[in-house]
Amino acid sequence: MLVVVEKSSHAVSFYETGAGRRVGTVPLPDYPHEMVVDARRRFAYVGHYGVRMSSSAGEGGAAVFVIDLVERSLVRTIDTRPFRRIHGMGIDREDRLYALSEDRAVLLGFDAPATDEAPVRAVPTHGVKTHLFALSRDGERAYVTGLLSHTVSLVRPYDAAVPPLLVTPGQLPESSTLSRDEKTLFVGARRSSTLVAVDARTMKVRREAATGGDPLRVYTLDDERLLVTDIAARTLTVWSTGLRPIRSLALDGTPAAVSLHPSEPLAYVSLLGTDRVAVVDLDRFAVVGGFATQREPDASALLPARA
């Protein structure tokens, strides 16, 4: 089962990955964007961004939606006011939740998100138009991208007294991912058309490589490979962690977010424009299936099939 945020249908929907059949939809207020799922696959947490794109004007939303994945229903809404335009979402190995306010440049924390009625902490990031973040497994480090400050901030979510450590990896950094050993941060600098490797402790740039396009999202596949979606070239590309392109696949839509199968070499790629999810075999590096969605599929998560 693939659960998908459909931004312009203002919903989260559930799809059987084999047949591609939509089996449930949870309507939400306008323009939900990012989503994470807890370890038990019981609850999903969706940020209320409230506007269609980062360039859209407006104050945006101020909430986190709690979706019961078993009942396929909205069970709670966590009010985050005065923190608005909730976009980047993360969850650590203890199932503590983190949500990023783009307009306040603040990372919010929830220790028990299934029951919390409000954030229990808030940490300034010192970026501007903070959009997404990568999170260490223990939740002690968050790497926050600033679209207008063109920075990545290393933030300590549990110690706001520690000043964020910033780097400028290139122009318009949006997505990032930590290596498996969490020693290197890989950043897609969209306007610079580069993929950048940053020391995850010192925040010094180690190396960079030209992508020739617009690297929207970066994912860690394993110890040696990264996966990058490019919305200008409309490609999915495998890169080595040494920043060497390995192979690229042209898609029939604009690739946004990706969900990786936990045990099979499969990637589920949300395609904007065509409103589809493409199923990509990462061994053959070919599209082997897909299915239609509602409008503007974005973040997604794989769930075990029901018995």
Side-chain angles (χ1 to χ4, degrees), residues 125-142:
T125 68
H126 292 202
V128 180
K129 205 174 182 65
T130 51
H131 203 61
L132 290 172
F133 63 94
L135 186 70
S136 63
R137 287 184 287 271
D138 62 7
E140 294 293 332
R141 290 176 288 141

Side-chain angles (χ1 to χ4, degrees), residues 182-247:
E182 299 191 341
K183 293 181 179 180
T184 305
L185 183 76
F186 298 98
V187 183
R190 296 182 55 192
R191 192 173 296 159
S192 300
S193 298
T194 53
L195 190 59
V196 185
V198 176
D199 187 295
R201 296 289 182 175
T202 67
M203 297 300 285
K204 302 296 185 184
V205 172
R206 289 177 172 169
R207 54 190 177 275
E208 61 182 62
T211 66
D214 187 340
L216 180 67
R217 301 269 185 150
V218 186
Y219 300 89
T220 299
L221 287 178
D222 50 38
D223 290 338
E224 298 179 347
R225 298 179 303 160
L226 307 170
L227 190 67
V228 178
T229 63
D230 190 306
I231 64 171
R234 302 208 307 181
T235 57
L236 191 67
T237 301
V238 175
W239 289 75
S240 73
T241 52
L243 303 190
R244 178 179 59 85
I246 297 173
R247 59 198 312 189

Side-chain angles (χ1 to χ4, degrees), residues 128-132 144-153 167-176 187-192 194 196 215-216:
V128 180
K129 205 174 182 65
T130 51
H131 203 61
L132 290 172
V144 181
T145 58
L147 296 180
L148 283 183
S149 54
H150 307 289
T151 54
V152 180
S153 309
V167 65
T168 302
Q171 296 297 299
L172 202 66
E174 181 163 340
S175 175
S176 65
V187 183
R190 296 182 55 192
R191 192 173 296 159
S192 300
T194 53
V196 185
L216 180 67

Side-chain angles (χ1 to χ4, degrees), residues 156-168:
R156 303 287 180 173
Y158 295 94
D159 193 350
V162 177
L165 188 59
L166 276 67
V167 65
T168 302

